Every structure is written in structure tokens, then in C-alpha cells.
Amino acid sequence: MKKKFFAVFFALLVLCTAVVPVFADEAGDWDFSEEYPTAEPTGVTINVYNWGEYISNGTEGSLDVNAEFTRRTGIEVNYTTFDSNESLYSKLAGGGASYDVIVPSDYMISKLMNENMLAELDFSNIPNFEYIDEQFRNPDYDPENTYSVPYTWGTVGLIYNKNYVSDEDAESWSCLWNSKYQGKLLMFDNPRDAFAIAQERLGFSLNSTDESEWEQAAMLLKEQKPLVQAYVMDQIFDAMENEEAWIAPYYAGDYLTMVEENPDLAFYRPTTQGYNMFIDAMCIPTCCQEKEAAEAFINFLCSPEISSANMEFLGYSVPSTAAKELMDPEVAGSKVAYPDADTLTTGTSLNFLPEETSRYMESLFMEVRNG
């Protein structure tokens, strides 16, 4: 729904809110020029490194967020993507690449902080931080909000095709070990998310430091491997939308994109076993070359009219009530994107693991993947 009615919604928004005038032409393109004039080019370019499929890009009548930032500020955006926190970390730790804004998840932010790979933010350049809700401020992974500004939050659950997978089977993570779905089952291609599901099945903490528990979880993943069609990240979109696969664990926000392309898809959080809930946040790495411009970009993404347009397109949950109030009520009322309080009590965040535990987990996952 979110993309199909995106242009219509914001055209109507002009008539019902005085927050910021927003205009869509007949093609669905956004025109903020009356409120924000076009800036002269500055000669500055920022390098933004974000997850794939994680920003409104102008398709299907949506707002092109990066282009609008450039139009308003004269700052160009060189935008590239990664598909896991671990690949982001490898790129930063390996050197040879310079990024100005990155968007890691909660546990990875702690790891980058611990290794002195993040720069402190100057919040005088990010006044729109005031729109971030209190519940998303000073999180455990960044207790003083020194290094990060929340971008989205969300949950992990099972995405499945109702034509082939029963609702009853999808109520448990054990569905991912069901031989009925051999060859039609996808699995996370990153260790924290994959192990989290095995740990939830076993009743272990997602943040365990007990090597025997990690070994038991690895054995469970090895038992699953013969059933797995592929270990995926962004590849999940085509596979699930085209019915090449029938069931996969993934992020709630991405499900809302997939179901638009294939309405036979459904989403379920196995709340009796637990699930991962997360926050992805905007940070500036120490390799940044354009810090003030990077902070301007973060500030831009926090503005309610940009944040609402961005999340309206993505389907991910917005950490700003001011932005949520500008969204289509159907999207803002989605139980997939915004589960109720009782559901949220069964979710667990992934914390920073000690380096020894993290390395052991990664070596175990390599054994699982490579057999």
C-alpha cells in the first residue's frame, strides 16, 4: 500500500497540515522548491554507506531523498550500500575506503565505539534530533547519545507464502527446520541474525558468552543446512516475490515492501520463542572527510517531512512521533511495523559481544556455511 498511495497521500497532506508545504506533480515527483529554494553547488561530496533498499529513491512516485538533500544544500551524495553489519565492519576495518555517514545496527555501533572507529557528533549541527522520541534516546549501545542518531527500528520475523506454508507452521522458528520446505527455504547470510534464531529455538540468550551454547546453536544450524536453498540478504526480495522460495526469516520493514509485489506473502513473529528487535542508527566514522556536511545530512533525514516520506516508502518503523503523524494512517497503524506493547515485551536486542565470543561465533558460522 505504501508506495501505491504515496503520491496521493502527500498531495492530500498539503491540504491538512501547516507543518511544511509538500507538493507532488502528476508524475508523483516531489516539489519542495517553494519552501526550500535550490542551493548553489558547494563542491562538497559526502560518501554515504547504507543498507540496500534502505532509502526512498524516487521510484514509484516516491521522494528521492538524496537528490532533495543535494538540491537544498548544494552538497552531492555518493551513495553505496552494504548487506550486513559484518560487511560494513570489514570495509571500515580494512581501510582504503572513506565514508562520511554510515548506518550500522545497535550491536555494531557498540563494537565500532569500542574500537574507536566512530566520531563524536556535534548536535548543534543536528537540531532536528529534537524530533527523536525519548524512548529511542540514550540507548544501551550508546548511553549518552554521543555517536549515533536513530534512523529506523524494527523486528525480525518469518516471511512466508500462504499458498505453500501453513499459518500454524509459521508460528514457530522450527518451521525453518521443517523438511516439507526443503529447497524452498532461505536463511540469513550473517552470523548474528542466523544464530539468534537457533538460540531462540534452544531457549538461549541471544547475547550469550557461553561457548557451549554457541556450539549447540551451530549444530542446529548445521542440521538445517540441507534444507536451505540459499543464505541471503538483499537477494531475498526477488526470491520471495517471485515464489522461488516460500519461507525466510527477515526484517518486518522489508516484508512490507515484498508484500506489495506478492500479496500472498505473510509475516509472523514467533513471540512464544522470542525474536530480535533492533535499531539502525546514523553515525560518522573516524575516516570521515566532511563532518559538517555529514551532520547536515543526518539532520536532514531527521526532519519530520523527510523522515515521514522516507519511512512511508520503506515500510520501516520511524523513531519520531512527529514524522509518524505525517504518515498515511494505514501505514502508521500497521501491526507489522508498529507492534503493540505486549508483543514488544517478547523481543530482545542484540548486544555487543566480547571480541573472543564474536570471533568464535564467526568461525562457527563459517563452518555452517562452508560445511
Side-chain angles (χ1 to χ4, degrees):
M1 196 289 302
K2 63 183 183 300
K3 296 176 188 174
K4 293 177 183 176
F5 296 109
F6 193 80
V8 175
F9 163 64
F10 271 91
L12 292 173
L13 183 62
V14 177
L15 303 177
C16 63
T17 181
V19 175
V20 176
V22 181
F23 302 93
D25 64 23
E26 292 181 359
D29 298 323
W30 303 106
D31 182 5
F32 290 91
S33 58
E34 291 190 15
E35 180 72 12
Y36 301 98
T38 300
E40 293 294 324
T42 62
V44 173
T45 297
I46 57 171
N47 296 313
V48 177
Y49 201 32
N50 196 1
W51 294 81
E53 308 282 344
Y54 218 33
I55 199 165
S56 179
N57 59 12
T59 60
E60 301 186 46
S62 66
L63 173 69
D64 188 329
V65 170
N66 289 336
E68 179 62 17
F69 173 74
T70 297
R71 189 191 68 78
R72 293 192 195 184
T73 65
I75 300 169
E76 296 290 335
V77 179
N78 178 32
Y79 188 86
T80 54
T81 64
F82 56 86
D83 63 4
S84 73
N85 284 293
E86 288 68 28
S87 61
L88 162 64
Y89 175 80
S90 295
K91 200 68 174 287
L92 288 175
S98 177
Y99 299 108
D100 300 295
V101 179
I102 58 174
V103 189
S105 301
D106 34 32
Y107 74 90
M108 184 54 65
I109 293 171
S110 294
K111 181 178 178 67
L112 295 172
M113 287 169 54
N114 189 61
E115 298 184 21
N116 298 314
M117 296 173 69
L118 296 181
E120 292 190 14
L121 300 177
D122 181 352
F123 280 88
S124 67
N125 293 328
I126 313 173
N128 286 332
F129 182 75
E130 68 173 308
Y131 295 112
I132 300 298
D133 293 346
E134 287 292 335
Q135 70 191 87
F136 297 104
R137 300 188 188 192
N138 308 111
D140 290 343
Y141 60 83
D142 184 8
E144 298 180 3
N145 257 133
T146 304
Y147 299 97
S148 63
V149 173
Y151 180 58
T152 69
W153 66 276
T155 61
V156 172
L158 282 167
I159 302 173
Y160 62 101
N161 192 305
K162 294 176 289 185
N163 292 331
Y164 309 106
V165 179
S166 69
D167 293 339
E168 183 179 3
D169 282 349
E171 291 180 356
S172 169
W173 291 118
S174 61
C175 186
L176 297 174
W177 278 260
N178 192 324
S179 60
K180 288 192 298 186
Y181 308 119
Q182 182 171 5
K184 294 297 185 180
L185 185 156
L186 303 177
M187 190 58 175
F188 274 117
D189 195 18
N190 77 71
R192 279 313 291 272
D193 281 324
F195 268 101
I197 292 168
Q199 290 166 319
E200 283 156 342
R201 276 205 69 192
L202 293 167
F204 296 157
S205 167
L206 275 57
N207 301 301
S208 173
T209 56
D210 184 335
E211 286 192 358
S212 69
E213 292 187 353
W214 288 98
E215 290 164 2
Q216 292 176 67
M219 287 299 298
L220 194 58
L221 292 174
K222 288 178 182 179
E223 291 175 15
Q224 181 200 40
K225 185 176 181 180
L227 308 178
V228 176
Q229 179 190 111
Y231 294 88
V232 300
M233 292 304 293
D234 288 344
Q235 305 93 326
I236 189 176
F237 288 89
D238 287 341
M240 293 299 292
E241 290 169 3
N242 298 331
E243 300 191 358
E244 297 165 14
W246 298 344
I247 186 166
Y250 218 62
Y251 311 117
D254 289 322
Y255 159 73
L256 291 171
T257 295
M258 293 180 219
V259 74
E260 288 187 358
E261 303 301 324
N262 186 340
D264 292 325
L265 298 179
F267 182 86
Y268 190 83
R269 299 178 194 86
T271 52
T272 56
Q273 294 169 304
Y275 61 89
N276 169 30
M277 57 187 301
F278 61 87
I279 297 175
D280 293 338
M282 299 171 283
C283 303
I284 296 178
T286 52
C287 61
C288 171
Q289 300 295 310
E290 300 288 351
K291 189 167 183 288
E292 287 191 10
E295 289 165 342
F297 184 75
I298 293 173
N299 187 60
F300 177 76
L301 290 179
C302 288
S303 64
E305 90 272 17
I306 297 301
S307 183
S308 62
N310 195 16
M311 296 307 131
E312 179 88 22
F313 180 78
L314 293 181
Y316 272 82
S317 309
V318 64
S320 164
T321 297
K324 188 179 178 183
E325 289 174 348
L326 297 179
M327 294 170 64
D328 183 332
E330 185 177 342
V331 175
S334 166
K335 296 300 184 183
V336 172
Y338 301 98
D340 60 35
D342 287 343
T343 301
L344 289 175
T345 61
T346 61
T348 302
S349 298
L350 300 179
N351 298 338
F352 171 62
L353 296 174
E355 188 61 29
E356 182 179 353
T357 302
S358 182
R359 288 181 179 176
Y360 191 57
M361 172 196 64
E362 290 169 3
S363 68
L364 289 172
F365 191 64
M366 288 296 290
E367 289 180 18
V368 172
R369 288 282 279 104
N370 298 333

